[in-house]
Amino acid sequence: MSMTGGVLTAASAMSGAAHLTTSASRGSGDEPPVTIPRDPAREAARRELAKRMYHENDPSLFQRALNAFWEWLGKLLAKAASATPGGSLGLLVVVLCVIAVLAALWWRLGNPRRSPVAAAPLFDERPRTAAGHRAAADAHAAQGHWNQAVQERMRAIVRALEERALLDVRPGRTADEAAAEAGRTLPAHADALHAAARHFDDVTYGGRTADQQTYQRVAQLDSDLERARPTLVTSAAPDGKTG
């Protein structure tokens, strides 16, 4: 039974209650009419309408709230359509344009970057040589897995610097820490080292997606560092001459 049917049933009940009240006021032909005051009659009708049989098909609280929401949304869209040039068609065009812009931004920028509170160590529990990390990076690159390729190539850079004693072997070192320490020894490559560490953090913690160009930049840095020579820091002698 629909809500309209429920309303009709309630109306019928009210009509019946009114009829009973009218009949009671008329009484029989030989007896004086019984007069029921208005307030008691209204209370009797209220009690009659409060019976469960008249409300079995009433919409639930959730359904009433949902109906109110759709009604509010419909009024809101109608008001927006009336304020938009072209009416409903103009509003639809505006909505589609907004969706297209958001999709383009998502495709271009990827997931929003989330800066980690504390970066995880650069290396895992499995020690591997620089050559081993390079081989793993090349294997990932051959399959188009650029995120993993960038990660392994950054690890190859740091491991190679450790193998050349340009960095101390220190478990728990992060990519940013390694780039900062190596940049002091190889100042000509400091900016490239920081950029490579940033790419590592982006794909590892920030939810970004690397591409072939990103990997090629990190791989080129690895090749350049193999030929780089450290800058020796000299200390001044007591007499002001450098030794």
Side-chain angles (χ1 to χ4, degrees), residues 21-35:
T21 304
T22 305
S23 299
S25 63
R26 290 177 180 175
S28 62
D30 298 333
E31 296 178 357
V34 179
T35 302

Side-chain angles (χ1 to χ4, degrees), residues 231-237 242-243:
T231 300
L232 300 178
V233 180
T234 59
S235 58
T242 57

Side-chain angles (χ1 to χ4, degrees), residues 53-102:
M53 58 181 293
Y54 299 118
H55 302 279
E56 291 179 350
N57 297 299
D58 287 354
S60 63
L61 179 61
F62 173 76
Q63 185 63 42
R64 292 198 298 271
L66 188 61
N67 291 340
F69 169 76
W70 288 121
E71 182 179 357
W72 170 81
L73 184 60
K75 292 180 180 178
L76 181 64
L77 292 177
K79 184 179 296 185
S82 63
T84 304
S88 300
L89 180 59
L91 179 62
L92 178 61
V93 172
V94 171
V95 172
L96 292 178
C97 289
V98 171
I99 293 175
V101 170
L102 292 177

Side-chain angles (χ1 to χ4, degrees), residues 10-12 20 26 62-63 80 126 147-148 156 168 174 176 190 240:
S12 300
L20 289 175
R26 290 177 180 175
F62 173 76
Q63 185 63 42
R126 298 168 299 174
N147 281 14
Q148 295 88 337
D168 295 332
T174 65
D176 292 328

